[in-house]
Amino acid sequence: MTSTSSSFSSKTALLIAKNWPEPASTAAGRRTLDVLDLCREAGYQVHIASPAEPSPFQQSLSDLGYQAHSIAVNDSHFDTWVASLDPQLVIYDRFVMEEQFGWRVREQCPNAATLLDTSDFHTLREARQQAIRQRDREDTRPPYPPLDLFTATAERELAAMARCDRVLMISQVEIELLQSVFALPAERLLYLPFLISELPDAGEWRGYKDRQHLMMIGGFKHAPNKDAALWFKQAIWPLVRRQLPDVECHVYGAYADHTVQQWHAPKQGFVIKGRCDDALETLARYRLNVAPLRFGAGQKGKILEGWLTGTPTVTTHIGAESMAAEDAFGYPLSDDPERIADTLVQLYRNADNWKSVQSCGLQALENGFLRDDHAPGFIEALHQLQTNLTNIRHRNLWGRVLWHSQHRATEYMSRWIEAKNR
């Protein structure tokens, strides 16, 4: 274990993160910092621990006043370290982190309240991805069969949810799904969207005539982003380019591998740009932002960024989900390549419609993402979790069942791996 500091306060929150936050690379990274900022506002000294290798693009956590620690999976040294830290709140930023470290935390810090931050509902995202792959493979057409949500991933993710005291969700749609399909009690689910401190000043945005070209943005380690870029290039961009022959589409995103680089086709106006240092500054130069997601879950940072920069954003039903109501985007949502292309061309050419969609984005920000509308409720939920932990655990029957020794398979597997490594 390594750390930036060894001084621990009497009220400590520990985030166990799959990756070090990269707020300039991913919306998930910015979301992580939102959660940590609220923990600090609730009075916790915040520590972040991760088994991930350091990244040159990760946020300097010490600059933010947070203490960072390197940890390892299947390593009993974590037990001694977390016991000495003695956190009162432990947050797992994906269910796999709860699987790896949850039993160790429970054993060493039994009175620590636990919170699972799903980022998005992985079960839903994977089910949609599998459905898309099957449709592409079999070239099927609507109506499509229902999603298969009852998978091995669902079993693991829902078990992690049950073992934690509360589950933090970024999507109201997914909260409703967890209640209606998987019967999770509403009291166990907390909602926290992306947060903005204040609305942007529309008077400072570049105007329609001062912008040109289309852009896409999204890290390529995230499967929905990679799929969206390829689908747009193959199915939609030729239709747009035919009507706007002098317009280009610039594709930004961290971790563009060799496969993505092969999509670079400047003669066809499709340009792979790679990582950008400042997403908001980059978006503000373009006339349209495109988010053609065919699968995914949770809220979409790329759409939020489009709205924040006054860049009209054209997306699909999946992209729009959990961001705003379908009629709040200013254009008819569609998953059909021809209709998406027509919308892009029409908005690119028509300044009045472009401004109307820009206004819709500003309204969506005001309706759903203001920090003052959500932060107090989350901080109060943390307080209630801390003060009512015994009663909360008493009511969580399935969590108690899963903590029983015969259901702790992840613990025993980890102990076996550790012994084998020795």
Side-chain angles (χ1 to χ4, degrees), residues 114-334:
T114 56
L115 181 66
L116 177 64
D117 183 8
T118 62
S119 295
D120 59 22
F121 187 25
H122 290 56
T123 297
L124 178 61
R125 172 161 49 83
E126 286 189 8
R128 286 171 168 169
Q129 183 175 4
Q130 291 303 317
I132 285 292
R133 286 177 175 172
Q134 183 175 353
R135 292 173 199 173
D136 288 348
R137 186 169 56 248
E138 300 175 0
D139 194 25
T140 56
R141 294 290 183 268
Y144 300 121
L147 290 176
D148 178 13
L149 294 171
F150 301 96
T151 61
T153 296
E155 293 173 2
R156 293 172 58 195
E157 191 166 18
L158 289 161
M161 291 179 178
R163 287 190 294 262
C164 288
D165 300 310
R166 288 289 183 262
V167 181
L168 184 59
M169 304 297 296
I170 198 171
S171 166
Q172 290 281 20
V173 171
E174 291 166 18
I175 287 177
E176 294 169 6
L177 180 68
L178 285 168
Q179 292 179 72
S180 62
V181 176
F182 297 105
L184 265 71
E187 66 182 17
R188 306 201 65 247
L189 303 169
L190 306 180
Y191 173 64
L192 188 72
F194 287 127
L195 301 176
I196 61 172
S197 298
E198 58 184 4
L199 291 174
D201 183 353
E204 296 182 355
W205 288 337
R206 292 189 188 193
Y208 169 85
K209 292 183 178 179
D210 296 323
R211 300 170 181 243
Q212 61 177 342
H213 300 314
L214 282 62
M215 75 165 282
M216 299 176 62
I217 189 167
F220 289 106
K221 280 187 176 180
H222 193 51
N225 294 336
K226 197 169 185 178
D227 175 83
L230 180 59
W231 184 57
F232 185 79
K233 180 182 187 295
Q234 293 177 337
I236 303 171
W237 179 240
L239 304 176
V240 175
R241 180 79 166 175
R242 191 178 305 151
Q243 300 181 69
L244 301 173
D246 297 324
V247 174
E248 298 177 352
C249 179
H250 297 171
V251 182
Y252 293 87
Y255 305 105
D257 58 19
H258 177 68
T259 299
V260 174
Q261 295 295 342
Q262 289 183 316
W263 303 341
H264 182 65
K267 290 184 179 180
Q268 286 78 48
F270 195 83
V271 182
I272 303 296
K273 291 282 191 175
R275 179 186 294 272
C276 65
D277 293 331
D278 189 318
L280 297 181
E281 181 181 336
T282 302
L283 268 159
R285 302 197 301 264
Y286 287 86
R287 188 170 291 181
L288 293 177
N289 177 33
V290 192
L293 294 161
R294 295 201 299 166
F295 65 91
Q299 291 187 332
K300 322 305 185 297
K302 56 183 67 62
I303 294 178
L304 185 82
E305 290 166 344
W307 292 343
L308 286 170
T309 56
T311 311
T313 299
V314 176
T315 189
T316 57
H317 287 94
I318 291 292
E321 181 184 273
S322 81
M323 297 299 296
E326 287 197 9
D327 59 359
F329 284 78
Y331 57 86
L333 291 171
S334 178

